[in-house]
Amino acid sequence: MPNRIAFQYYRIKQNVRGHARKLAIHTISLEIQAIYVSLSIKLLVMKKKEPVPLDFVIDKLTNSILNTISGDSFETEIHRLTIKDLKKITNINGWNFNWKSELADNSKEIYKLTIVNNSDIIQGLLSLTIEKDHVLVNLLESAPFNIGKEKLYEGVAGNLVAYACKISFQQGFDGYVAFTSKTKLINHYEETLGSVHIGGQRMVISAKAAKLLVERYFKT
């Protein structure tokens, strides 16, 4: 379409003179502007990513995280992810999502879960967006060594979800948290988190369930 308009513009310049020429050129210029505005809008819509269906597993709801070998419980802390942290969070190291891209998105808040006094080892990551009346979980991922039958720690995913609920309370949203689930895990999240399936693949954690999660993981 832009090529056709440009061609018309060229033809008019060659064949039309005087006032009629100026009027025709102005008209074509407006058409070109309208087309590029339309294309820009379409590109923005195309760039807007569809929500990623999440597949984190709530292996156990603890009050921290639990070492699967020793059975010891370890207190955790959650801080914002930094650019420096990205060196360790790569596909080569077993991470599935593009956390560099998440961190670069200013509309999102990215958090890391670590064990107290051992902040160099990231146990899990969380990407949030603060919406008008709830917190949206964009991504949640346990560290590669905390996934599967040979995982080192249990309770990581539950800890991160509870933190999302905590932020929701802090924002005045009564703990409401939403996320998109893979279809096969909808029942799992209903049973483990007390979340509600509201249609499609969207899940919501309401005030009562959120309060229980926050009270389990956070003393204050």
Side-chain angles (χ1 to χ4, degrees):
M1 182 65 75
N3 290 334
R4 180 176 65 81
I5 298 297
F7 178 72
Q8 289 180 356
Y9 186 87
Y10 174 78
R11 289 292 299 273
I12 288 171
K13 287 183 67 176
Q14 296 298 316
N15 300 322
V16 183
R17 297 180 179 179
H19 178 72
R21 173 181 172 178
K22 290 181 180 179
L23 181 61
I25 290 175
H26 178 68
T27 300
I28 296 300
S29 296
L30 290 176
E31 288 187 39
I32 292 174
Q33 291 177 25
I35 287 171
Y36 278 107
V37 168
S38 176
L39 288 174
S40 296
I41 293 173
K42 288 180 180 179
L43 285 172
L44 286 173
V45 172
M46 289 173 64
K47 287 181 179 180
K48 186 176 181 181
K49 296 181 180 179
E50 292 294 323
V52 177
L54 303 182
D55 61 354
F56 60 88
V57 175
I58 304 298
D59 45 28
K60 181 176 289 189
L61 292 177
T62 63
N63 58 1
S64 54
I65 59 175
L66 193 70
N67 187 290
T68 59
I69 299 173
S70 66
D72 293 332
S73 179
F74 292 86
E75 292 296 319
T76 58
E77 53 189 5
I78 297 178
H79 297 290
R80 296 291 285 263
L81 186 71
T82 67
I83 294 176
K84 183 180 178 181
D85 293 323
L86 292 175
K87 295 178 181 179
K88 299 171 283 188
I89 307 167
T90 63
N91 291 129
I92 294 176
N93 289 335
W95 293 88
N96 294 314
F97 295 120
N98 186 347
W99 290 99
K100 181 178 180 180
S101 175
E102 290 294 298
L103 188 61
D105 189 336
N106 292 329
S107 69
K108 299 175 180 178
E109 297 181 3
I110 316 301
Y111 296 92
K112 60 181 178 180
L113 174 74
T114 60
I115 292 174
V116 173
N117 297 323
N118 191 6
S119 60
D120 290 336
I121 300 177
I122 295 174
Q123 304 294 332
L125 293 170
L126 175 69
S127 168
L128 303 176
T129 298
I130 308 300
E131 301 288 359
K132 292 182 179 180
D133 58 0
H134 69 280
V135 168
L136 176 66
V137 175
N138 304 300
L139 293 178
L140 190 158
E141 184 176 6
S142 294
F145 53 82
N146 289 330
I147 297 175
K149 294 181 179 179
E150 303 299 321
K151 70 181 69 173
L152 184 57
Y153 291 99
E154 294 179 323
V156 172
N159 200 317
L160 290 169
V161 173
Y163 189 72
C165 294
K166 181 181 180 181
I167 290 180
S168 178
F169 279 116
Q170 292 172 344
Q171 292 289 329
F173 300 154
D174 294 326
Y176 278 81
V177 170
F179 62 94
T180 301
S181 166
K182 283 194 173 181
T183 303
K184 65 180 181 180
L185 288 172
I186 288 175
N187 290 338
H188 172 69
Y189 296 137
E190 289 176 331
E191 293 171 0
T192 57
L193 297 174
S195 57
V196 178
H197 180 214
I198 62 172
Q201 294 171 279
R202 183 54 62 96
M203 308 294 294
V204 169
I205 300 174
S206 59
K208 183 178 179 180
K211 185 173 183 292
L212 291 173
L213 286 169
V214 172
E215 288 177 346
R216 176 181 287 272
Y217 280 94
F218 301 99
K219 295 177 182 178
T220 56

